[in-house]
Amino acid sequence: MRIHGSRSARVAPISTCPRSEVRSTVQIELTELTIRLPTATPQAYLAWVTWWREVEQLLGPDLAMASGDDDGRAPDRGARSIVLQHVRLLEEQAKQASEEGKETISPELSAEPAEWDQWLDYWRTRREWLEALALRELPEPMVPEDLVTLWERTLQMIGVELAIDVAHLHNLKVVGTGTSGSFSLQGELEVMNVDAVGRHFEKELRTGNRLTLDLSGLTFIDSRGLAMLLQLSELVNELELTPIVLKTSEVVRRVMEVGLPASIPGVEIER
């Protein structure tokens, strides 16, 4: 399975405009990832769609009790929405392949990274609900063993592909220094890796780690990298995890001085 990233970022050109203007014009469009699922027969995917709908019909009215939520809240609507879309697409692709006489199919599904994370969370929660039904000795739709194997492979592959290997990014290495939240960036911070790097650092912050970033090993950084720093600065101020400590190089300093002439709130630069 491969992930094809269609990245699109609109940022203010690097200029000598005030930093406040840069902030107001920075717009990062979320990356859409297209994932090719495991190869199987069209009939296998159609059978899974049928099973999924049986599970939804069963768990719908019994959702609050099966989930164990005291307030009976439904699952995340965004997560359920992307799953519904994907199920429809799976069915369409499987039916088309069957009509064309294809023996196997590797369906392709697209979503933003955060939606793929919600997709995995949704299925984990559904599994817990099914287990809850079993504990209460209520009937549950049984899934054939071959479909269990197919969807275990699917979930495993999605999880592996979504995991960011920060040691081997496109033209860039992100190396941990041995201290939580401390990293050295070596190579080029550019369009092919900036989204992944930003998501990794955001996860570090949300786990409560302050960031110390050694950028002295960067040989290239542009407005997309600056936009990432702006987004991280907003997050550290929101989470009260200031400052982000940056160690820079001549290359990085020159780009920052041109693109961000004013200091960034929540960022401390070591010369």
Side-chain angles (χ1 to χ4, degrees), residues 2-53:
R2 294 180 180 274
I3 288 184
H4 311 284
S6 56
R7 289 176 168 82
S8 176
R10 298 196 304 272
V11 298
I14 295 179
S15 66
T16 57
C17 62
R19 196 192 67 80
S20 60
E21 293 183 18
V22 174
R23 177 182 293 275
S24 65
T25 56
V26 168
Q27 297 182 36
I28 299 295
E29 292 182 0
L30 295 176
T31 303
E32 185 174 81
L33 302 180
T34 299
I35 297 183
R36 184 180 294 275
L37 301 186
T39 300
T41 65
Q43 291 72 26
Y45 278 108
L46 289 172
W48 182 85
V49 169
T50 299
W51 176 82
W52 179 85
R53 286 178 173 152

